[in-house]
Amino acid sequence: MQRLTLQDAEKALAAGLAKATEIGQPMNVAIVDDGGHLLAFARQDGAIRASIDIAQRKARTSILMNLPTAALTPLVQPGAELYGLEHTAGGMVIFGGGIPIHRDGELVGAVGVSAGSVEQDVTVAEAAVAALA
């Protein structure tokens, strides 16, 4: 069984924070294990406080659904087949910024990023995940 270690989480966190600095947008970055439990987290100076919870929920949502949170957005619109999904499991986040981490096809963790635009959140999350490739 594959595992996401603290060392892995710290590497992903550092890559995400570096990308946030590069694009000039302070971020909250959360790394969780395959159970959705927090392994590493940072809030950069200037990142909005409300996004602390949102970043962690994005990571947990990615674990629960085994999908990037951006993939859920069209599925939860009024009339779509998963409408209302965000109200389940203690509150999921259904917009971009959460990305699952896989190793050898196995889900081992996820990254959640929040405090910028959705595009910025996704960019930073992708950088964090790419650091583990």
Side-chain angles (χ1 to χ4, degrees), residues 9 12-20 25-32 38-44 47 51-52 55-56 59 97 110-115 121 124-125 128-129:
L13 181 65
L17 295 174
K19 180 55 85 172
Q25 176 59 53
M27 293 287 192
N28 294 286
V29 180
I31 314 296
V32 300
L38 192 62
L39 283 172
F41 176 84
R43 180 173 68 88
Q44 291 180 306
S51 289
I52 294 168
Q56 292 178 48
V111 174
V113 176
S114 186
D121 292 355
V124 171
V129 171

Side-chain angles (χ1 to χ4, degrees), residues 17-84:
L17 295 174
K19 180 55 85 172
T21 299
E22 177 186 317
I23 67 172
Q25 176 59 53
M27 293 287 192
N28 294 286
V29 180
I31 314 296
V32 300
D33 66 14
D34 63 341
H37 304 287
L38 192 62
L39 283 172
F41 176 84
R43 180 173 68 88
Q44 291 180 306
D45 295 341
I48 59 174
R49 290 172 186 85
S51 289
I52 294 168
D53 182 58
I54 296 168
Q56 292 178 48
R57 286 179 186 266
K58 285 181 181 183
R60 283 194 302 271
T61 299
S62 287
I63 288 293
L64 291 171
M65 299 303 293
N66 196 13
L67 288 170
T69 54
L72 296 170
T73 304
L75 302 173
V76 298
Q77 300 305 308
E81 74 179 280
L82 297 180
Y83 179 65

Side-chain angles (χ1 to χ4, degrees), residues 11-12 15 101 111 124-133:
K11 183 177 181 181
I101 301 168
V111 174
V124 171
E126 288 173 342
V129 171
L132 300 177

